[in-house]
Amino acid sequence: MTTTSSPTPEPVGEVTATETATLTPRQTIQAISGLMMGMFVAILAGTVVSTALPRIIHDLGASQSSYTWVVTLELLTMTATVPLWGKLADLYNNKLLVQLSLGFFVIGSLVAGFAPNIEVLLGSRVLQGLGAGGLTALVQIVMAAIIPPRELGRYSGIFGAIFASATVGGPLLGGFLVDSPLGWRACFLVGVPFVLAAIVLLQRTLKLPTVRREVKIDWWGAVLIMGGVSTLLVWSSFAGNKFEWVSGWSFGLVAVAVVALIAAVLVERRHPEPIIPMDLFRNRTVTLSVIASALVGVAMFGGSVFLAQYFQIAQGYTPTKAGLMSLPLILGMMVASTIAGGLITKYGRWKIYLVVGSVLLPIGLALFGTIDAHTSKYMLWSFMIVLGVGIGLVMQNLVLAAQNDVPARELGAATSAVSFFRSMGGTIGVSVLGAILANNVAETLNPGGASSGSGNAVPNIAELSPEVRTIVENAYGAATADLFMMSVPFAVLALVAVLFIKEKALLTTSGAERRANEEGPDNSAPH
């Protein structure tokens, strides 16, 4: 599809690259305030359900497989659509795209809040994932457009703290709501007013330059990428659960995914406006950042998802107390992200924080690999601090490294590529680890003949007899430890990738300024 726009006078609300670049720190905070609110609530919606899930799944009569899918479907949709949102950001007005993604999120939240069964709930998570995919790509892109990389550390630290707060603070809020008279449905509805407020705030405060030029969107590439990735994620979620890892279904799904992704690469190499420019991967920094992000995704998503279940089922905490138990993880992420961001802005050095964080990640995961149903809360808190600091130092700075090393016209594609592979790693991690957890628990419970009496259903600890409760707690404790230990090799590989990233001086001009200089006065990108 090709659309052409002729030069016209700037409408109200649009600004030039020069005007964008002259924002004061106060004006910058005002400009991204709506982004902060929208991103916080959208991420919160993805994590607030983690503490509530045992109760949700039990109330809806669903299984452990459904438990994983409530998380996975949102991550899958977000992962598959991030590259498309990133490409649209290189072509259209970013403020409108952010508001559109927030709109998808609102609709999905309303549907989830009133879902009568597990099937409707799963469908609503697809809509929420579509909105989250937009925010995942667009927030970093908008920041890079109005803030120079040298100054980006300060603001990236703020966003990293917001991301950390929402990622791990969600379970705390979810537990409180589940235990309150409002019930678990409030977990989906509580953020809707804030997202609507964010849409209005963005309209009033965010001023971005609009690039007018001939546009040709690579729809075939988008379809093939989303189809290939989705098939791969479906396979990773069902293998070992619905069918064996080595089976006709496995070979068939993997073959379809590989063919689709190979076709996508061929299309991307020939299209003038590819969703993911293959030239990006000739850049060493981008390639290594992508690899490290995919590996870090396993630790980031797996930790928050399965820890909440561990606290409730293996250790018998209420949803509210389970959320409180996660606070050291959020504090570690927030403090590390904020302090590192400020130091990067002050001194201009960033790789040291990536390396330290990448060393702490496998250590934190290995420590969690030693837990069981009786591990003391003080040990768990210390393990969470180590893991949280590692994630906080790595997550945002991988995006910063990639953004600092590409032309301005590829900022959207580079940012979305790093975010895409981080989400994909997290989605595959949650899918595979969730399937392994379900199988390990089933194998532990069934041979001994002791179970909650509901087969593969997630048990409600409060309803079990003391004897059965002890067996179930031990089963979930051991299975959770196994998941963390399985994640250690991936974190070690992430460290290797980070060590090979070459540190380059941070640029002092914003993405909007760089793009204006690259493309010339007519704002027409060369191809």
Side-chain angles (χ1 to χ4, degrees):
M1 182 180 85
T2 304
T3 58
T4 306
S5 300
S6 59
T8 58
E10 294 279 356
V12 176
E14 294 178 4
V15 295
T16 65
T18 303
E19 292 171 327
T20 302
T22 58
L23 294 177
T24 66
R26 180 179 178 180
Q27 290 172 324
T28 301
I29 288 292
Q30 290 176 338
I32 63 176
S33 56
L35 290 177
M36 290 180 178
M37 183 185 297
M39 188 182 78
F40 177 78
V41 177
I43 297 172
L44 193 71
T47 59
V48 73
V49 298
S50 60
T51 312
L53 267 178
R55 186 73 57 82
I56 294 172
I57 297 301
H58 181 267
D59 288 353
L60 296 180
S63 65
Q64 176 69 46
S65 177
S66 297
Y67 183 107
T68 302
W69 270 102
V70 172
V71 178
T72 302
L73 265 180
E74 189 200 18
L75 290 175
L76 188 155
T77 310
M78 177 180 71
T79 301
T81 57
V82 160
L84 181 57
W85 284 108
K87 188 57 192 178
L88 291 174
D90 285 335
L91 305 177
Y92 296 116
N93 184 274
N94 288 345
K95 180 168 74 174
L96 178 62
L97 292 175
V98 171
Q99 291 172 315
L100 181 62
S101 64
L102 288 171
F104 279 119
F105 172 78
V106 168
I107 296 172
S109 298
L110 291 173
V111 174
F114 296 101
N117 53 51
I118 191 65
E119 289 78 18
V120 174
L121 179 62
L122 292 176
S124 71
R125 297 294 279 173
V126 172
L127 290 173
Q128 287 187 314
L130 190 58
L135 289 173
T136 299
L138 295 167
V139 166
Q140 299 285 351
I141 293 167
V142 171
M143 287 177 62
I146 63 178
I147 305 170
R150 179 59 189 267
E151 297 293 319
L152 200 56
R154 178 188 296 119
Y155 299 100
S156 292
I158 296 173
F159 271 91
I162 290 173
F163 196 100
S165 301
T167 299
V168 189
L172 175 59
L173 177 61
F176 173 77
L177 291 173
V178 169
D179 286 338
S180 75
L182 296 174
W184 60 262
R185 295 185 184 275
C187 294
F188 299 103
L189 300 175
V190 68
V192 170
F194 297 97
V195 177
L196 294 174
I199 294 174
V200 175
L201 192 59
L202 284 168
Q203 185 63 34
R204 294 172 59 90
T205 63
L206 185 61
K207 313 294 182 183
L208 294 172
T210 296
V211 177
R212 290 182 173 80
R213 60 190 178 88
E214 185 174 306
V215 172
K216 182 177 289 187
I217 298 178
D218 177 18
W219 294 112
W220 273 111
V223 170
L224 289 169
I225 290 172
M226 288 190 289
V229 170
S230 298
T231 303
L232 190 63
L233 295 178
V234 168
W235 165 72
S236 69
S237 182
F238 282 156
N241 182 15
K242 300 295 184 182
F243 48 80
E244 297 297 325
W245 286 97
V246 180
S247 65
W249 273 106
S250 275
F251 289 124
L253 288 173
V254 171
V256 170
V258 169
V259 169
L261 292 175
I262 290 176
V265 170
L266 296 176
V267 170
E268 297 295 88
R269 290 175 62 88
R270 290 170 173 77
H271 200 278
E273 295 280 3
I275 299 295
I276 302 179
M278 293 295 106
D279 289 347
L280 274 179
F281 297 100
R282 296 178 183 174
N283 183 307
R284 172 176 163 178
T285 301
V286 172
T287 301
L288 291 172
S289 296
V290 160
I291 293 171
S293 289
L295 297 167
V296 168
V298 175
M300 188 174 68
F301 289 105
S304 61
V305 170
F306 295 111
L307 271 180
Q309 188 178 37
Y310 165 80
F311 288 137
Q312 290 183 66
I313 298 181
Q315 297 227 332
Y317 287 106
T318 65
T320 299
K321 290 182 179 178
L324 287 170
M325 283 292 294
S326 299
L327 282 179
L329 185 59
I330 181 176
L331 291 175
M333 294 170 70
M334 285 179 62
V335 172
S337 177
T338 304
I339 293 178
L343 292 174
I344 288 171
T345 296
K346 183 176 182 178
Y347 298 108
R349 305 295 298 273
W350 50 268
K351 184 174 177 179
I352 181 63
Y353 306 106
L354 274 178
V355 173
V356 172
S358 299
V359 170
L360 291 176
L361 271 177
I363 294 175
L365 292 170
L367 289 173
F368 270 109
T370 66
I371 65 175
D372 58 29
H374 309 290
T375 303
S376 75
K377 62 183 178 182
Y378 301 106
M379 290 187 67
L380 291 170
W381 287 344
S382 63
F383 296 169
M384 280 187 277
I385 290 173
V386 174
L387 186 60
V389 170
I391 295 173
L393 291 176
V394 171
M395 186 175 62
Q396 294 296 111
N397 293 325
L398 285 172
V399 177
L400 175 63
Q403 290 177 335
N404 187 58
D405 206 28
V406 296
R409 61 187 171 83
E410 292 183 349
L411 271 175
T415 303
S416 62
V418 176
S419 301
F420 167 74
F421 283 96
R422 182 179 66 208
S423 299
M424 187 164 134
T427 308
I428 291 177
V430 170
S431 301
V432 174
L433 296 178
I436 293 173
L437 184 144
N439 288 339
N440 287 355
V441 169
E443 290 173 5
T444 302
L445 297 180
N446 293 337
S451 73
S452 63
S454 51
N456 200 31
V458 176
N460 185 341
I461 289 294
E463 298 176 354
L464 303 179
S465 65
E467 296 79 8
V468 174
R469 175 171 177 163
T470 299
I471 295 173
V472 171
E473 287 176 344
N474 289 332
Y476 274 88
T480 304
D482 290 343
L483 301 189
F484 280 103
M485 196 59 76
M486 289 176 189
S487 301
V488 172
F490 297 99
V492 172
L493 291 175
L495 170 61
V496 174
V498 164
L499 290 174
F500 282 97
I501 295 177
K502 183 178 180 180
E503 183 166 24
K504 296 185 179 181
L506 294 174
L507 300 173
T508 56
T509 53
S510 70
E513 287 180 292
R514 289 157 57 195
R515 184 156 189 165
N517 292 333
E518 290 171 10
E519 298 181 352
D522 62 347
N523 279 354
S524 179
H527 295 291

